[in-house]
Amino acid sequence: MAAGAPRVFVSHLSGIAVFDPNGDQVGRVRDIVALLTERRRLPAVLGLVVELISRRRVFLPMTRVTGVESGQVITTGVVNMRRFERRPNEHLVLGELLDRRVTLVETDEQVTVLDVGLQQLPARRDWEIDRLFVRKGRGGRA
């Protein structure tokens, strides 16, 4: 990754407002959709699940996100109004990954996922999961 490439933590994205280029609120972030496959080195972030003002949840591709800053997401303004439906191999980061117990491959140690870092690829609008923040040990404090 290039130094200075934008990084966002999913715990900071939960519930933040999504705006169009004119500054009108489109909705709020409810989850992050990632593609987890064994072929990729790092999981790709496909987009956001955005809850519109009408309570409908729609998919917003990351390629339509122009900025993530100061507690807000800015889009190109183009939003497909079709209700969000998860596809095979897609995973919801907030709903499925946070607070989950996983095993570290290197040490076979059980850890709990506390947060996930997303990084934008240089010179593109693509994003990927590049960090997992974990707590070692079973429950309680690490």
Side-chain angles (χ1 to χ4, degrees):
M1 292 300 129
R7 176 174 290 125
V8 178
F9 300 100
V10 296
S11 62
H12 296 242
L13 287 177
S14 179
I16 68 170
V18 178
F19 294 95
D20 68 12
N22 296 326
D24 296 326
Q25 185 172 343
V26 174
R28 293 197 170 274
V29 174
R30 292 299 174 216
D31 219 319
I32 294 86
V33 181
L35 181 64
L36 304 177
T37 64
E38 293 182 19
R39 287 181 273 157
R40 283 185 54 92
R41 185 178 64 85
L42 295 173
V45 177
L46 301 177
L48 307 173
V49 177
V50 176
E51 186 174 79
L52 305 176
I53 306 301
S54 65
R55 298 287 216 199
R56 174 186 294 256
R57 290 187 181 204
V58 299
F59 178 72
L60 178 65
M62 289 307 284
T63 56
R64 294 204 180 131
V65 172
T66 59
V68 179
E69 59 218 20
S70 317
Q72 64 184 3
V73 173
I74 309 296
T75 72
T76 61
V78 179
V79 177
N80 185 337
M81 298 301 287
R82 184 182 318 148
R83 191 172 304 277
F84 170 71
E85 291 182 31
R86 195 168 66 179
R87 296 178 178 161
N89 292 333
E90 290 181 350
H91 296 274
L92 300 175
V93 175
L94 288 168
E96 296 176 24
L97 195 54
L98 290 190
D99 296 327
R100 179 176 222 163
R101 304 240 347 122
V102 298
T103 303
L104 292 178
V105 174
E106 299 86 18
T107 63
D108 241 11
E109 184 177 10
Q110 289 283 311
V111 296
T112 303
V113 178
L114 299 179
D115 207 349
V116 177
L118 312 177
Q119 187 162 12
Q120 188 174 17
L121 298 175
R124 295 176 33 200
R125 286 191 180 173
D126 294 335
W127 291 71
E128 64 187 10
I129 293 175
D130 73 329
R131 300 257 195 266
L132 288 181
F133 293 91
V134 298
R135 177 179 47 215
K136 294 181 178 184
R138 283 198 170 268
R141 298 190 200 285

